[in-house]
Amino acid sequence: MIFKTNKVIIDAGHFTGDPGASANSYTERDEVMKIRNELIPLLKEVGLEVYAIPDTLNLNDSIAFANSIAPKLDDALAVSIHLNSLSDKNANGTLSIYYAPSKESKQMAEILSKNVSEALGVKNKGILPDTQTYAGS
């Protein structure tokens, strides 16, 4: 294993009251929940302990939940799944956001972005430190 932890906290990105992006009768919330639900058994299959953030928590509570549980889990990796929507059909691909102070988080983001983009056949848009997002560290 290339990481010092085998624990992952996974978040579907949007909670019950926040549908996120929408297009063609699809909502980001519903689609990322499907992805999360399919991803959890795959992560467990490769030997990871997976902790899902409850769907009822809003953005700030989800971040607080992950930040409170991670130290108890020997600094588990945290993954939040999102799907963005734009009217420009050329604007597609994967982007992974990582916890800026963590070198390990950056490595995981690089691996995730590369593998997900290859699996989906879309452009790898790289990685971004969470300090460049509105909810970052």
Side-chain angles (χ1 to χ4, degrees):
M1 182 178 299
I2 63 170
F3 300 105
K4 66 181 179 184
T5 184
N6 68 338
K7 299 169 183 83
V8 177
I9 301 167
I10 192 163
D11 175 26
H14 287 271
F15 68 105
T16 305
D18 176 11
S22 63
N24 303 323
S25 77
Y26 294 100
T27 65
E28 180 178 7
R29 176 196 61 229
D30 293 343
E31 297 307 307
V32 296
M33 285 182 183
K34 289 177 192 174
I35 292 168
R36 186 237 8 236
N37 292 343
E38 289 185 26
L39 184 57
I40 288 173
L42 296 173
L43 295 172
K44 288 180 177 180
E45 192 174 291
V46 297
L48 297 173
E49 290 180 39
V50 182
Y51 301 84
I53 292 179
D55 297 334
T56 55
L57 299 180
N58 63 29
L59 173 65
N60 291 332
D61 291 341
S62 292
I63 293 169
F65 181 90
N67 288 339
S68 70
I69 175 176
K72 296 172 190 160
L73 299 174
D74 296 324
D75 295 322
L77 296 170
V79 176
S80 182
I81 304 168
H82 293 269
L83 302 171
N84 297 324
S85 175
L86 292 172
S87 57
D88 180 357
K89 295 194 185 301
N90 294 317
N92 66 59
T94 63
L95 172 69
S96 294
I97 300 170
Y98 64 93
Y99 179 56
S102 169
K103 184 177 178 180
E104 192 171 38
S105 177
K106 183 177 181 180
Q107 289 175 315
M108 176 58 105
E110 289 169 342
I111 292 167
L112 279 172
S113 199
K114 176 185 178 291
N115 287 301
V116 170
S117 65
E118 287 176 3
L120 297 176
V122 298
K123 183 178 178 181
N124 179 355
K125 294 188 169 196
I127 62 173
L128 181 72
D130 69 333
T131 52
Q132 294 183 21
T133 70
Y134 72 94
S137 58

